[in-house]
Amino acid sequence: MQHMLFTSKRSKSGIISPATFQQQFRKARHHIGRDDIVFHSLRATHATKLILNGGTLREVMNSLGHNSVTVAVKHYQRVVPDHQKRVANLLAFEYIPSMGDPELLKTVVRETEEEILKMQDFVDGLHEHLATIENTRH
């Protein structure tokens, strides 16, 4: 038996009703100030993040329940400019003997430092969230 992500203790079937789910989703998106988000946005974000973090197209298809590569690529494989730029720079750095080009190396260093700062901000945010969770449990 597959485990449902959204379960209900009140329902005889154990599955939250679509109407209740939609109502709760609307409340949640309003609460975070993102009334523009639709539920399908979550699927697309999940698929994109999965690929950006090393997941394969087959893993995306399995995760979303698709049998068709065409559907998965058409609807879920997004172009993410920062990722595309990073990959292009890595390939250029690999293909071109750039050790003698200080400008290219400066660009790679600058972009890598920017990426490190983004990751540090992400880690700091996780620490803050963890502290908040731990403080509410005590």
Side-chain angles (χ1 to χ4, degrees):
M1 178 181 158
Q2 285 188 323
H3 296 282
M4 299 300 295
L5 180 60
F6 303 106
T7 60
S8 171
K9 293 178 182 178
R10 294 184 207 170
S11 168
K12 290 179 183 177
S13 69
I15 300 171
I16 194 169
S17 75
T20 301
F21 181 81
Q22 289 170 359
Q23 179 185 24
Q24 293 301 317
F25 186 77
R26 279 193 300 275
K27 282 183 185 178
R29 71 182 189 186
H30 182 72
H31 179 72
I32 64 169
R34 292 296 310 267
D35 290 326
D36 59 314
I37 295 175
V38 296
F39 187 73
H40 198 265
S41 301
L42 301 178
R43 289 176 59 86
T45 299
H46 167 74
T48 302
K49 292 285 193 180
L50 186 61
I51 288 173
L52 290 177
N53 287 293
T56 65
L57 186 56
R58 172 55 60 194
E59 290 166 330
V60 170
M61 290 170 58
N62 289 345
S63 180
L64 299 177
H66 288 293
N67 294 323
S68 166
V69 172
T70 304
V71 170
V73 170
K74 181 179 177 185
H75 295 287
Y76 298 111
Q77 189 159 334
R78 307 277 193 254
V79 173
V80 179
D82 287 344
H83 182 258
Q84 187 175 17
K85 181 178 174 184
R86 185 171 60 244
V87 170
N89 285 339
L90 287 171
L91 286 174
F93 192 72
E94 184 177 319
Y95 291 150
I96 301 169
S98 57
M99 290 310 223
D101 183 353
E103 290 308 310
L104 179 59
L105 287 174
K106 287 177 187 176
T107 299
V108 171
V109 167
R110 186 186 76 249
E111 289 176 359
T112 303
E113 288 172 341
E114 288 171 3
E115 196 169 327
I116 290 169
L117 288 174
K118 285 180 186 177
M119 291 302 294
Q120 188 59 55
D121 287 344
F122 179 71
V123 169
D124 291 346
L126 290 174
H127 283 299
E128 289 173 17
H129 187 67
L130 179 60
T132 301
I133 292 170
E134 288 176 338
N135 288 336
T136 58
R137 289 186 178 172
H138 292 110

mmCIF file of all heavy atoms in Angstrom, residues 77-110:
data_model
loop_
_atom_site.group_PDB
_atom_site.id
_atom_site.type_symbol
_atom_site.label_atom_id
_atom_site.label_comp_id
_atom_site.label_asym_id
_atom_site.label_seq_id
_atom_site.Cartn_x
_atom_site.Cartn_y
_atom_site.Cartn_z
ATOM 1 N N GLN A 77 10.634 19.883 -17.097
ATOM 2 C CA GLN A 77 12.045 20.216 -17.233
ATOM 3 C C GLN A 77 12.154 21.690 -17.578
ATOM 4 O O GLN A 77 11.963 22.092 -18.719
ATOM 5 C CB GLN A 77 12.731 19.346 -18.281
ATOM 6 C CG GLN A 77 14.224 19.542 -18.248
ATOM 7 C CD GLN A 77 14.961 18.389 -18.878
ATOM 8 O OE1 GLN A 77 14.467 17.280 -18.910
ATOM 9 N NE2 GLN A 77 16.136 18.664 -19.379
ATOM 10 N N ARG A 78 12.440 22.484 -16.583
ATOM 11 C CA ARG A 78 12.517 23.929 -16.730
ATOM 12 C C ARG A 78 13.946 24.372 -16.994
ATOM 13 O O ARG A 78 14.898 23.737 -16.572
ATOM 14 C CB ARG A 78 12.048 24.623 -15.452
ATOM 15 C CG ARG A 78 10.687 24.193 -14.966
ATOM 16 C CD ARG A 78 9.601 24.961 -15.711
ATOM 17 N NE ARG A 78 8.308 24.802 -15.078
ATOM 18 C CZ ARG A 78 7.344 24.049 -15.561
ATOM 19 N NH1 ARG A 78 7.525 23.360 -16.645
ATOM 20 N NH2 ARG A 78 6.181 23.966 -14.946
ATOM 21 N N VAL A 79 14.072 25.508 -17.657
ATOM 22 C CA VAL A 79 15.378 26.137 -17.818
ATOM 23 C C VAL A 79 15.531 27.103 -16.654
ATOM 24 O O VAL A 79 14.708 27.995 -16.459
ATOM 25 C CB VAL A 79 15.495 26.881 -19.161
ATOM 26 C CG1 VAL A 79 16.785 27.675 -19.229
ATOM 27 C CG2 VAL A 79 15.391 25.901 -20.315
ATOM 28 N N VAL A 80 16.560 26.902 -15.862
ATOM 29 C CA VAL A 80 16.848 27.769 -14.730
ATOM 30 C C VAL A 80 18.122 28.536 -15.087
ATOM 31 O O VAL A 80 19.194 27.944 -15.167
ATOM 32 C CB VAL A 80 17.022 26.957 -13.431
ATOM 33 C CG1 VAL A 80 17.346 27.862 -12.263
ATOM 34 C CG2 VAL A 80 15.761 26.133 -13.151
ATOM 35 N N PRO A 81 17.994 29.851 -15.351
ATOM 36 C CA PRO A 81 19.129 30.612 -15.862
ATOM 37 C C PRO A 81 20.422 30.477 -15.056
ATOM 38 O O PRO A 81 21.490 30.295 -15.634
ATOM 39 C CB PRO A 81 18.618 32.055 -15.846
ATOM 40 C CG PRO A 81 17.136 31.915 -15.997
ATOM 41 C CD PRO A 81 16.783 30.665 -15.245
ATOM 42 N N ASP A 82 20.351 30.557 -13.731
ATOM 43 C CA ASP A 82 21.568 30.432 -12.924
ATOM 44 C C ASP A 82 22.225 29.068 -13.111
ATOM 45 O O ASP A 82 23.444 28.953 -13.196
ATOM 46 C CB ASP A 82 21.281 30.661 -11.440
ATOM 47 C CG ASP A 82 21.022 32.119 -11.110
ATOM 48 O OD1 ASP A 82 21.357 32.989 -11.943
ATOM 49 O OD2 ASP A 82 20.484 32.394 -10.019
ATOM 50 N N HIS A 83 21.404 28.043 -13.149
ATOM 51 C CA HIS A 83 21.933 26.688 -13.347
ATOM 52 C C HIS A 83 22.549 26.554 -14.737
ATOM 53 O O HIS A 83 23.639 26.006 -14.896
ATOM 54 C CB HIS A 83 20.820 25.665 -13.154
ATOM 55 C CG HIS A 83 21.278 24.255 -13.291
ATOM 56 N ND1 HIS A 83 21.059 23.516 -14.425
ATOM 57 C CD2 HIS A 83 21.961 23.459 -12.438
ATOM 58 C CE1 HIS A 83 21.587 22.319 -14.271
ATOM 59 N NE2 HIS A 83 22.141 22.258 -13.083
ATOM 60 N N GLN A 84 21.857 27.066 -15.733
ATOM 61 C CA GLN A 84 22.359 26.990 -17.102
ATOM 62 C C GLN A 84 23.696 27.726 -17.221
ATOM 63 O O GLN A 84 24.632 27.225 -17.849
ATOM 64 C CB GLN A 84 21.325 27.603 -18.049
ATOM 65 C CG GLN A 84 21.650 27.422 -19.510
ATOM 66 C CD GLN A 84 20.520 27.934 -20.397
ATOM 67 O OE1 GLN A 84 19.659 28.686 -19.965
ATOM 68 N NE2 GLN A 84 20.551 27.541 -21.642
ATOM 69 N N LYS A 85 23.806 28.874 -16.595
ATOM 70 C CA LYS A 85 25.043 29.655 -16.625
ATOM 71 C C LYS A 85 26.172 28.902 -15.924
ATOM 72 O O LYS A 85 27.301 28.836 -16.424
ATOM 73 C CB LYS A 85 24.797 31.006 -15.944
ATOM 74 C CG LYS A 85 25.965 31.936 -15.911
ATOM 75 C CD LYS A 85 25.530 33.242 -15.242
ATOM 76 C CE LYS A 85 26.680 34.172 -15.028
ATOM 77 N NZ LYS A 85 26.259 35.387 -14.311
ATOM 78 N N ARG A 86 25.874 28.319 -14.768
ATOM 79 C CA ARG A 86 26.880 27.579 -14.009
ATOM 80 C C ARG A 86 27.393 26.389 -14.809
ATOM 81 O O ARG A 86 28.600 26.156 -14.890
ATOM 82 C CB ARG A 86 26.301 27.135 -12.659
ATOM 83 C CG ARG A 86 27.320 26.461 -11.758
ATOM 84 C CD ARG A 86 26.810 26.213 -10.349
ATOM 85 N NE ARG A 86 25.638 25.351 -10.324
ATOM 86 C CZ ARG A 86 24.434 25.726 -9.910
ATOM 87 N NH1 ARG A 86 24.221 26.944 -9.493
ATOM 88 N NH2 ARG A 86 23.434 24.878 -9.909
ATOM 89 N N VAL A 87 26.478 25.656 -15.425
ATOM 90 C CA VAL A 87 26.877 24.485 -16.217
ATOM 91 C C VAL A 87 27.713 24.915 -17.424
ATOM 92 O O VAL A 87 28.745 24.298 -17.720
ATOM 93 C CB VAL A 87 25.636 23.676 -16.663
ATOM 94 C CG1 VAL A 87 26.005 22.623 -17.677
ATOM 95 C CG2 VAL A 87 24.972 23.034 -15.452
ATOM 96 N N ALA A 88 27.301 25.980 -18.097
ATOM 97 C CA ALA A 88 28.060 26.473 -19.254
ATOM 98 C C ALA A 88 29.465 26.900 -18.839
ATOM 99 O O ALA A 88 30.445 26.592 -19.530
ATOM 100 C CB ALA A 88 27.326 27.634 -19.911
ATOM 101 N N ASN A 89 29.578 27.581 -17.707
ATOM 102 C CA ASN A 89 30.899 28.002 -17.234
ATOM 103 C C ASN A 89 31.773 26.810 -16.855
ATOM 104 O O ASN A 89 32.971 26.802 -17.135
ATOM 105 C CB ASN A 89 30.769 28.957 -16.049
ATOM 106 C CG ASN A 89 30.333 30.337 -16.467
ATOM 107 O OD1 ASN A 89 30.482 30.721 -17.626
ATOM 108 N ND2 ASN A 89 29.782 31.093 -15.542
ATOM 109 N N LEU A 90 31.170 25.816 -16.221
ATOM 110 C CA LEU A 90 31.945 24.626 -15.868
ATOM 111 C C LEU A 90 32.441 23.909 -17.112
ATOM 112 O O LEU A 90 33.593 23.452 -17.164
ATOM 113 C CB LEU A 90 31.103 23.676 -15.002
ATOM 114 C CG LEU A 90 30.857 24.124 -13.568
ATOM 115 C CD1 LEU A 90 29.833 23.200 -12.895
ATOM 116 C CD2 LEU A 90 32.149 24.150 -12.777
ATOM 117 N N LEU A 91 31.584 23.803 -18.114
ATOM 118 C CA LEU A 91 32.007 23.159 -19.362
ATOM 119 C C LEU A 91 33.099 23.970 -20.050
ATOM 120 O O LEU A 91 34.087 23.406 -20.531
ATOM 121 C CB LEU A 91 30.816 22.977 -20.300
ATOM 122 C CG LEU A 91 29.844 21.876 -19.920
ATOM 123 C CD1 LEU A 91 28.640 21.895 -20.850
ATOM 124 C CD2 LEU A 91 30.523 20.518 -19.944
ATOM 125 N N ALA A 92 32.927 25.272 -20.095
ATOM 126 C CA ALA A 92 33.939 26.125 -20.722
ATOM 127 C C ALA A 92 35.267 25.981 -19.991
ATOM 128 O O ALA A 92 36.330 25.877 -20.615
ATOM 129 C CB ALA A 92 33.480 27.582 -20.714
ATOM 130 N N PHE A 93 35.200 25.966 -18.684
ATOM 131 C CA PHE A 93 36.415 25.840 -17.878
ATOM 132 C C PHE A 93 37.091 24.490 -18.137
ATOM 133 O O PHE A 93 38.309 24.393 -18.181
ATOM 134 C CB PHE A 93 36.061 25.997 -16.399
ATOM 135 C CG PHE A 93 37.247 26.159 -15.506
ATOM 136 C CD1 PHE A 93 37.971 27.346 -15.521
ATOM 137 C CD2 PHE A 93 37.635 25.153 -14.660
ATOM 138 C CE1 PHE A 93 39.065 27.513 -14.686
ATOM 139 C CE2 PHE A 93 38.737 25.308 -13.825
ATOM 140 C CZ PHE A 93 39.452 26.491 -13.844
ATOM 141 N N GLU A 94 36.276 23.453 -18.346
ATOM 142 C CA GLU A 94 36.809 22.113 -18.600
ATOM 143 C C GLU A 94 37.377 21.990 -20.012
ATOM 144 O O GLU A 94 38.410 21.373 -20.225
ATOM 145 C CB GLU A 94 35.701 21.078 -18.399
ATOM 146 C CG GLU A 94 36.165 19.644 -18.534
ATOM 147 C CD GLU A 94 35.034 18.669 -18.255
ATOM 148 O OE1 GLU A 94 34.257 18.917 -17.312
ATOM 149 O OE2 GLU A 94 34.944 17.680 -18.982
ATOM 150 N N TYR A 95 36.699 22.565 -21.003
ATOM 151 C CA TYR A 95 37.084 22.407 -22.401
ATOM 152 C C TYR A 95 38.230 23.324 -22.828
ATOM 153 O O TYR A 95 39.027 22.984 -23.683
ATOM 154 C CB TYR A 95 35.900 22.664 -23.333
ATOM 155 C CG TYR A 95 34.815 21.612 -23.256
ATOM 156 C CD1 TYR A 95 33.496 21.954 -23.514
ATOM 157 C CD2 TYR A 95 35.090 20.299 -22.934
ATOM 158 C CE1 TYR A 95 32.480 21.004 -23.456
ATOM 159 C CE2 TYR A 95 34.089 19.347 -22.870
ATOM 160 C CZ TYR A 95 32.793 19.707 -23.133
ATOM 161 O OH TYR A 95 31.798 18.776 -23.082
ATOM 162 N N ILE A 96 38.258 24.509 -22.279
ATOM 163 C CA ILE A 96 39.232 25.496 -22.732
ATOM 164 C C ILE A 96 40.397 25.524 -21.745
ATOM 165 O O ILE A 96 40.179 25.678 -20.545
ATOM 166 C CB ILE A 96 38.583 26.901 -22.814
ATOM 167 C CG1 ILE A 96 37.407 26.874 -23.785
ATOM 168 C CG2 ILE A 96 39.604 27.960 -23.200
ATOM 169 C CD1 ILE A 96 36.550 28.113 -23.739
ATOM 170 N N PRO A 97 41.584 25.403 -22.244
ATOM 171 C CA PRO A 97 42.739 25.497 -21.324
ATOM 172 C C PRO A 97 42.833 26.931 -20.784
ATOM 173 O O PRO A 97 43.453 27.800 -21.377
ATOM 174 C CB PRO A 97 43.942 25.135 -22.192
ATOM 175 C CG PRO A 97 43.474 25.168 -23.597
ATOM 176 C CD PRO A 97 41.983 25.174 -23.602
ATOM 177 N N SER A 98 42.161 27.178 -19.682
ATOM 178 C CA SER A 98 41.977 28.542 -19.201
ATOM 179 C C SER A 98 42.927 28.929 -18.081
ATOM 180 O O SER A 98 42.810 30.013 -17.545
ATOM 181 C CB SER A 98 40.543 28.706 -18.730
ATOM 182 O OG SER A 98 40.270 27.736 -17.745
ATOM 183 N N MET A 99 43.810 28.060 -17.715
ATOM 184 C CA MET A 99 44.682 28.370 -16.595
ATOM 185 C C MET A 99 45.521 29.623 -16.868
ATOM 186 O O MET A 99 45.927 30.297 -15.950
ATOM 187 C CB MET A 99 45.596 27.190 -16.272
ATOM 188 C CG MET A 99 44.827 26.030 -15.674
ATOM 189 S SD MET A 99 43.775 26.590 -14.327
ATOM 190 C CE MET A 99 44.053 25.319 -13.171
ATOM 191 N N GLY A 100 45.728 29.963 -18.115
ATOM 192 C CA GLY A 100 46.515 31.142 -18.444
ATOM 193 C C GLY A 100 45.678 32.387 -18.645
ATOM 194 O O GLY A 100 46.212 33.453 -18.923
ATOM 195 N N ASP A 101 44.342 32.306 -18.510
ATOM 196 C CA ASP A 101 43.466 33.450 -18.737
ATOM 197 C C ASP A 101 42.973 33.996 -17.398
ATOM 198 O O ASP A 101 41.991 33.499 -16.831
ATOM 199 C CB ASP A 101 42.279 33.033 -19.606
ATOM 200 C CG ASP A 101 41.353 34.195 -19.953
ATOM 201 O OD1 ASP A 101 41.542 35.306 -19.412
ATOM 202 O OD2 ASP A 101 40.446 33.984 -20.769
ATOM 203 N N PRO A 102 43.641 35.026 -16.888
ATOM 204 C CA PRO A 102 43.274 35.536 -15.562
ATOM 205 C C PRO A 102 41.850 36.093 -15.498
ATOM 206 O O PRO A 102 41.195 35.974 -14.467
ATOM 207 C CB PRO A 102 44.306 36.636 -15.280
ATOM 208 C CG PRO A 102 45.012 36.883 -16.554
ATOM 209 C CD PRO A 102 44.764 35.722 -17.472
ATOM 210 N N GLU A 103 41.348 36.676 -16.592
ATOM 211 C CA GLU A 103 39.989 37.235 -16.562
ATOM 212 C C GLU A 103 38.945 36.135 -16.408
ATOM 213 O O GLU A 103 37.978 36.279 -15.665
ATOM 214 C CB GLU A 103 39.727 38.077 -17.813
ATOM 215 C CG GLU A 103 40.516 39.379 -17.856
ATOM 216 C CD GLU A 103 40.363 40.201 -16.581
ATOM 217 O OE1 GLU A 103 39.216 40.427 -16.132
ATOM 218 O OE2 GLU A 103 41.401 40.612 -16.027
ATOM 219 N N LEU A 104 39.140 35.044 -17.130
ATOM 220 C CA LEU A 104 38.215 33.923 -17.006
ATOM 221 C C LEU A 104 38.272 33.334 -15.603
ATOM 222 O O LEU A 104 37.239 33.051 -14.995
ATOM 223 C CB LEU A 104 38.515 32.843 -18.052
ATOM 224 C CG LEU A 104 37.617 31.610 -18.002
ATOM 225 C CD1 LEU A 104 36.146 32.002 -18.188
ATOM 226 C CD2 LEU A 104 38.030 30.605 -19.049
ATOM 227 N N LEU A 105 39.481 33.189 -15.082
ATOM 228 C CA LEU A 105 39.614 32.657 -13.724
ATOM 229 C C LEU A 105 38.967 33.592 -12.699
ATOM 230 O O LEU A 105 38.315 33.129 -11.761
ATOM 231 C CB LEU A 105 41.088 32.425 -13.382
ATOM 232 C CG LEU A 105 41.725 31.225 -14.079
ATOM 233 C CD1 LEU A 105 43.212 31.178 -13.794
ATOM 234 C CD2 LEU A 105 41.064 29.934 -13.648
ATOM 235 N N LYS A 106 39.114 34.902 -12.876
ATOM 236 C CA LYS A 106 38.474 35.858 -11.968
ATOM 237 C C LYS A 106 36.956 35.718 -12.015
ATOM 238 O O LYS A 106 36.281 35.779 -10.986
ATOM 239 C CB LYS A 106 38.869 37.290 -12.328
ATOM 240 C CG LYS A 106 40.284 37.648 -11.951
ATOM 241 C CD LYS A 106 40.619 39.066 -12.412
ATOM 242 C CE LYS A 106 42.075 39.393 -12.191
ATOM 243 N NZ LYS A 106 42.446 40.725 -12.707
ATOM 244 N N THR A 107 36.427 35.511 -13.211
ATOM 245 C CA THR A 107 34.980 35.337 -13.365
ATOM 246 C C THR A 107 34.511 34.075 -12.643
ATOM 247 O O THR A 107 33.517 34.088 -11.911
ATOM 248 C CB THR A 107 34.593 35.265 -14.855
ATOM 249 O OG1 THR A 107 34.968 36.495 -15.473
ATOM 250 C CG2 THR A 107 33.103 35.036 -15.035
ATOM 251 N N VAL A 108 35.249 32.986 -12.838
ATOM 252 C CA VAL A 108 34.882 31.725 -12.184
ATOM 253 C C VAL A 108 34.973 31.879 -10.673
ATOM 254 O O VAL A 108 34.083 31.429 -9.935
ATOM 255 C CB VAL A 108 35.776 30.557 -12.691
ATOM 256 C CG1 VAL A 108 35.554 29.307 -11.871
ATOM 257 C CG2 VAL A 108 35.517 30.300 -14.164
ATOM 258 N N VAL A 109 36.015 32.524 -10.191
ATOM 259 C CA VAL A 109 36.172 32.738 -8.745
ATOM 260 C C VAL A 109 35.018 33.574 -8.213
ATOM 261 O O VAL A 109 34.403 33.234 -7.193
ATOM 262 C CB VAL A 109 37.536 33.403 -8.426
ATOM 263 C CG1 VAL A 109 37.578 33.919 -6.990
ATOM 264 C CG2 VAL A 109 38.666 32.426 -8.680
ATOM 265 N N ARG A 110 34.682 34.689 -8.889
ATOM 266 C CA ARG A 110 33.607 35.564 -8.436
ATOM 267 C C ARG A 110 32.273 34.823 -8.380
ATOM 268 O O ARG A 110 31.538 34.907 -7.398
ATOM 269 C CB ARG A 110 33.500 36.793 -9.345
ATOM 270 C CG ARG A 110 32.484 37.819 -8.825
ATOM 271 C CD ARG A 110 32.254 38.986 -9.777
ATOM 272 N NE ARG A 110 31.401 38.540 -10.883
ATOM 273 C CZ ARG A 110 31.801 38.389 -12.146
ATOM 274 N NH1 ARG A 110 33.041 38.649 -12.500
ATOM 275 N NH2 ARG A 110 30.969 37.978 -13.075
#
